[in-house]
Amino acid sequence: MTQNAYDLWTPAHRANPRPLYARMRQEAPLVRLVDPVRKMPFWLLTRHDDVVALLRDGRLAKDSRKLSPERRAYFFRLSLDELTRHMLNSDPPDHTRLRSLVSQAFTPRRIEALRPRVTAIATELMEAALARGSVDFIDAFAFPLPVIVIAELLGVPVEDREPFREWTHTLLVPPTNGDLEPVKQAGMNFVQYFTSLLERRRSEPGDDLVSAMIAAEEQGDRLRADELIGMLFLLLVAGHETTVNLLGTGLLALMEHPEQLERLRADRTLMGTAVEEMLRYCSPVETSTTRFTVEPLTLHGQTVPAEELVIAGLMAANHDPEVFPEPERFDVGRTPNKHVGFGFGIHFCLGAPLARLEAAVTFELLLERAPRVRLAVPPEQLEWRKTAFIRGLEHLPVTLGG
């Protein structure tokens, strides 16, 4: 089969990639594609068992420095090294060291302690949205809530959130004309911002995660300057991007399935399983970040050579009928639910407890304050983000009452 047979980037497949993933699981569970924007070839796995195996397979590496110089230059035409020295792009033992330095800030107990503050922020945003009646839920709520929370955790001024949004969007959804100059500039903006922030926190430490990371010491090994910048970038981007898309696509799923919305309204004890179902059904992170083979890998009758990029299809895996009965049915009470919405293995999303908390608080508020929330435009007018990495809406116009 040619790539065109599995073109994930068409507008129709961006609006709903699930039928295409079903075909891929059947016909091409391992397929080589080329990202049309980055011009980057990669291998994609789409079956749940294969995805779980990939995410825990020691024959695949995250650290691009393990590639030969020629292959690294081929795959990474635009070098953003200053932003990539973080745990998501590391292998043990570096990954173990880096993750241990920040994991204490993201334990379920510490995140639960944030519930009053998250609720206060969400309530303020909801009040403002209700006063307007009809809003873009992404702009009015889904974006500001997680970015305010992570900004407060990091000690980043909240007024800087709009530049972050613009820079993040450029990095995650590069211009489709292939011009990478805006991507390079967005990366430089992040580097300059974090360098300045670190200098301020070194001279004026505060009660925030940035100050704690500067002071952190694990077995006598502090974070290097490049690692600090990379970790700040990861925490800021990952700390809000997944949640923005979870809140937006989760609300859309509830509005598209009014019987499930009513079921959740009638039984709030289902909130935990409802959020897990949103993570499965909507898959706000559609594919994993890249890994590459350190030796040839044979699967489904094909051999992936060494030094090739391999990606796990998280959304495809989350709709695998071999694991999820009636996978296209949105069920707020689904259990068990072995989704891989937050990844799997040692790179499982560190911020998962925070994203779950923010989602639960958001949908509790919506059920209480906006029980008649409904889509304000026809579904076919919704604009989906053009990347196959992130699954999210550009805008979500809703009417909150009336």
Side-chain angles (χ1 to χ4, degrees), residues 73-324:
Y74 173 70
F75 284 118
F76 301 98
R77 296 175 176 87
L78 179 64
S79 176
L80 294 173
D81 284 349
E82 298 94 335
L83 299 179
T84 58
R85 293 287 175 255
H86 52 66
M87 60 191 178
L88 192 57
N89 290 332
S90 302
D91 301 306
D94 275 352
H95 173 270
T96 308
R97 175 178 61 86
L98 293 170
R99 190 171 178 113
S100 67
L101 285 167
V102 295
S103 61
Q104 294 178 14
F106 288 90
T107 62
R109 176 177 295 182
R110 293 196 66 175
I111 295 303
E112 183 59 32
L114 294 174
R115 182 179 290 271
R117 180 58 186 145
V118 173
T119 302
I121 297 168
T123 300
E124 183 177 340
L125 293 169
M126 187 65 67
E127 292 288 350
L130 287 167
R132 294 167 58 190
S134 294
V135 297
D136 175 358
F137 183 73
I138 303 297
D139 284 345
F141 195 99
F143 172 73
L145 173 64
V147 83
I148 291 171
V149 172
I150 197 64
E152 289 189 358
L153 274 175
L154 293 174
V156 171
V158 172
E159 58 266 25
D160 293 336
R161 69 193 189 196
E162 281 304 325
F164 288 153
R165 184 182 193 181
E166 179 184 343
W167 302 340
T168 300
H169 190 278
T170 300
L171 288 170
L172 294 179
V173 190
T176 54
N177 62 8
D179 179 13
L180 295 180
E181 188 58 33
V183 181
K184 180 180 179 181
Q185 186 59 53
M188 290 173 60
N189 290 340
F190 267 122
V191 172
Q192 292 167 2
Y193 183 89
F194 286 135
T195 299
S196 175
L197 176 64
L198 288 168
E199 289 174 353
R200 294 199 304 272
R201 286 295 177 268
R202 284 193 177 96
S203 59
E204 300 176 12
D207 184 20
D208 56 71
L209 189 53
V210 174
S211 300
M213 287 169 63
I214 291 172
E217 193 166 350
E218 184 75 8
Q219 298 178 348
D221 190 3
R222 293 180 185 272
L223 285 164
R224 301 191 310 267
D226 62 332
E227 291 174 335
L228 272 170
I229 291 174
M231 290 294 283
L232 287 176
F233 172 72
L234 174 64
L235 292 172
L236 181 69
V237 173
H240 81 270
E241 185 66 33
T242 300
T243 307
V244 171
N245 297 313
L246 170 59
L247 299 184
T249 58
L251 176 56
L252 179 61
L254 287 173
M255 293 188 294
E256 289 179 331
H257 300 85
E259 78 290 349
Q260 294 298 309
L261 177 58
E262 186 56 40
R263 182 184 176 196
L264 184 58
R265 182 182 293 117
D267 185 359
R268 305 292 180 84
T269 65
L270 293 174
M271 185 58 70
T273 55
V275 171
E276 298 307 308
E277 180 68 343
M278 294 171 195
L279 287 160
R280 183 199 71 84
Y281 184 84
C282 306
S283 297
V285 179
E286 189 170 328
T287 63
S288 73
T289 51
T290 54
R291 288 158 172 77
F292 63 87
T293 50
V294 294
E295 61 183 67
L297 178 68
T298 300
L299 189 64
H300 297 297
Q302 299 186 79
T303 297
V304 180
E307 298 196 312
E308 289 275 308
L309 296 188
V310 186
I311 290 177
L314 303 182
M315 174 175 247
N318 284 338
H319 288 260
D320 190 335
E322 294 296 318
V323 178
F324 305 99

